[in-house]
Structures are given as C-alpha cells and as structure tokens.
Amino acid sequence: MSLQLFDLSGRVAVVTGGTQGLGLEIALGLARAGADVVPTARSQENVDEAAAAIEALGRRSLRQRSDVLDRASIVSLHEAVVAAFGKVDILVNAAGITHKLSTLEVDEAEWSRVIETNLTGTLRCCQVFGAGMAAAGYGRIINIASIASYRGFYRVAAYGASKSAVVSLTQTLAVELAESGVNVNAIAPGVIPTPLNTALVNGTPRGAEILLRTPMHRFGKAQELVGPSIFLASEASAFVTGAVLAVDGGFLASGVNC
C-alpha cells in the first residue's frame, strides 16, 4: 500500500475541542500529515495558541473560536473556514466534558449539560459541516466516542450515555451519507490522562482498576490517537464508514488478564 494514501496534503480539517488534550494532539497530527487545520474551542486564547502551533508546522490555520452548545457559532465557524479555504474535507468532533457523580444523585441540569456537550454538540457539528460535505460530494467525519460507550463506568452515567449515543449517531449518519461521498466513523479511546480526567485516574483506586483491566497494563498516550485519526481522515479508509475503532490497549477485548 502506498503511503500516499495517508497523505492529507491539500485537505482542510476542523477539530472541535482542538485546543487541548486529545483534540490538540489530533489537530497537530493531521497538520503533520499535510492538512491545513482549524482547531477550535470556546477560549480565544487557547484557539490562538493552537492555531500558532499549526502554523509553526508550515500549515495554514484560522483563529475562530466556537462553542458546540451554540449552533450560531458553529455556523459562523463553518462559514469562516469555507471563506478562508474554500472547503472543509475533515471534521473531528473532540469537544467533550465529564462529571463524576452518583447516578441517583445527579440532577437534571448537570445530566443535560453533559449530554448537550458530548452528544448534541456533536450532532450540531455533524449537521452543519456534514451538509456542506454532502453537497461537495466528499468528506470525512470522525467522532470521539469512548470505551465507556460499551462498558459501565462507576458514577459517570451521563458521560457513558452520551458516548454510547455518539456511537449510534455515527452509525446512523454513516448509513445516511454513504452515497454522498462522506464517510462517518468514530474512535473509542481507552483511558488517556488529560486535563479532563487526570484527577480521576492518576494515583487513584479507579486508575489502578483500569490498569488491571487493560491487557497492556498502562494508560494510553494522546499521541496514540494520531495514527488512527490520519487513517480515518485519509484515502486509506475510503471503504470504511460506520466503524468505531477502539484504541484502548485491549480493554474492550479483555476478560481475564492473569
């Protein structure tokens, strides 16, 4: 297989939640593979820093903040990227939040905040950017799911429910857009310490249990999502749609580890 299949030169990518953690690593990885990349999030300061890092790699970027809770800001983002670059080829939905609380105690406002961000925010971006991709006859949408899409994790019911729904959304949208030239897939990362979850897993009983259940017996690294992201964003995945790629050190495959 020619490595040109993984070359993203000439492609334009947008990464929501692309200024920190997993989203930033994916944004930088797509840029190193040749794409012009627009990392976006709510903080203008973080957007500016991430865009500067993309430009330092010799790629073009754009300093456009957005909020996945605000459809108007997503529409404005889409319009700004198309105005600057003429198209959007790749969308990575990496914006997300979590909150640890007993399922019997979580109030509806907190539940809705997680669902609105992780699920409905992903839907908004898929709708706004997916429509443009379908009209153009080409696109790659990559949603960030989780191993919590498939397993129950203690006291994060809203997060797990939202990520399970992201898998369903990915599969349904893949079916609907299959004939339009737009591929829709997801990545289900294992536990990777980031600012979102470090306090929950580093040096905690929860973290120790995760390591025990992971055959590789280590946490993942944010950089380890780059290769799968490039694959799903590139021509190497031309016949792949509706798939969820687990990048989890074997967690979901695991039964007995000793």
Side-chain angles (χ1 to χ4, degrees), residues 171-186:
Q171 293 170 334
T172 301
L173 195 57
V175 171
E176 293 181 12
L177 296 180
E179 295 183 352
S180 72
V182 180
N183 294 17
V184 187
N185 295 290

Side-chain angles (χ1 to χ4, degrees), residues 57-142:
L57 295 172
R59 310 301 176 202
R60 296 181 297 166
S61 191
L62 195 66
R63 289 159 171 77
Q64 180 81 20
R65 66 169 298 277
S66 67
D67 183 351
V68 298
L69 298 179
D70 179 5
R71 180 177 291 271
S73 79
I74 300 302
V75 172
S76 295
L77 171 66
H78 180 261
E79 291 174 346
V81 177
V82 172
F85 301 110
K87 61 176 181 174
V88 179
D89 301 298
I90 302 159
L91 170 67
V92 180
N93 287 307
I97 59 173
T98 190
H99 184 75
K100 185 182 178 185
L101 191 66
S102 165
T103 305
L104 298 183
E105 296 174 0
V106 64
D107 63 46
E108 290 188 12
E110 181 59 24
W111 174 275
S112 296
R113 184 177 76 95
V114 176
I115 297 294
E116 273 288 303
T117 301
N118 296 355
L119 174 59
T120 311
T122 296
L123 171 66
R124 290 186 185 102
C125 295
C126 285
Q127 287 179 326
V128 172
F129 285 87
M133 290 176 176
Y138 182 89
R140 297 285 189 268
I141 296 175
I142 305 169

